[in-house]
Amino acid sequence: SSSDSGQHVKLVHLKETRPASPLIYLSETDADLSHEFSSDIHQNQKIRTIINKSSPHAPLDLRESNLTDRDLLMVAEVAMAHKQCKELWLQSNTITSIGAATIAHAFTKKNSVQVLILHDNPLGDEGVRCLAKALQSKRSMLTVLGLE
């Protein structure tokens, strides 16, 4: 609202609200990923071995693997981009909104994931927003998303 207080002074009253769908800038995520990617991608050798042994286009089961957000850099690059796995089972790990942003970023690039299960991870609202935004990409082939 606004009001004229006289003497050429106009008061404008604003109320800050939260939009139903806040903007998410994946380009900022791109910069973060490229910085971390080169030095930390293969930090978890156990996960690296599991992914390398998996067949192309095969489901990848990494539930209860103590995955961290940094491990998802490897999952996104090797499992999603190179191996083109169709199913990713990532439930019961410690994936936060940062890891969700990494996965979201991968959905904007070439990948074949049709099933993504993220049950029992502390993704938070921001992590879910990142995923939702990325899944609007025409490149996304996802048909099942588990967020229980």
Side-chain angles (χ1 to χ4, degrees):
S1 65
S2 65
S3 61
D4 191 352
S5 66
Q7 301 177 3
H8 305 297
V9 176
K10 189 163 195 142
L11 296 174
V12 177
H13 303 273
L14 302 174
K15 178 181 178 185
E16 184 176 349
T17 61
R18 292 190 89 166
S21 299
L23 296 175
I24 299 171
Y25 299 102
L26 292 177
S27 60
E28 292 174 8
T29 304
D30 293 347
D32 292 341
L33 291 176
S34 63
H35 172 70
E36 291 185 39
F37 183 77
S38 60
S39 61
D40 295 326
I41 188 166
H42 297 301
Q43 184 176 11
N44 189 329
Q45 291 298 323
K46 177 184 171 191
I47 301 304
R48 179 183 183 187
T49 301
I50 292 169
I51 293 172
N52 285 338
K53 286 183 178 180
S54 69
S55 301
H57 305 287
L60 182 60
D61 187 351
L62 294 173
R63 62 184 127 190
E64 298 179 1
S65 297
N66 296 315
L67 284 176
T68 65
D69 293 329
R70 287 187 179 211
D71 295 327
L72 289 203
L73 291 167
M74 181 174 29
V75 170
E77 180 63 21
V78 181
M80 293 176 75
H82 295 310
K83 295 274 187 161
Q84 293 288 302
C85 71
K86 293 187 185 252
E87 297 181 17
L88 267 177
W89 296 81
L90 304 174
Q91 69 264 38
S92 301
N93 285 291
T94 57
I95 302 166
T96 70
S97 61
I98 295 167
T102 302
I103 294 294
H105 175 72
F107 275 109
T108 65
K109 299 181 182 260
K110 183 181 176 200
N111 74 82
S112 62
V113 176
Q114 297 171 357
V115 175
L116 175 61
I117 306 299
L118 290 163
H119 302 319
D120 300 320
N121 280 288
L123 302 175
D125 293 343
E126 189 61 30
V128 174
R129 277 193 282 275
C130 283
L131 290 166
K133 181 71 174 176
L135 295 177
Q136 293 175 0
S137 167
K138 292 180 181 176
R139 293 184 179 192
S140 174
M141 299 176 65
L142 199 70
T143 57
V144 176
L145 174 61
L147 296 173
E148 182 181 313

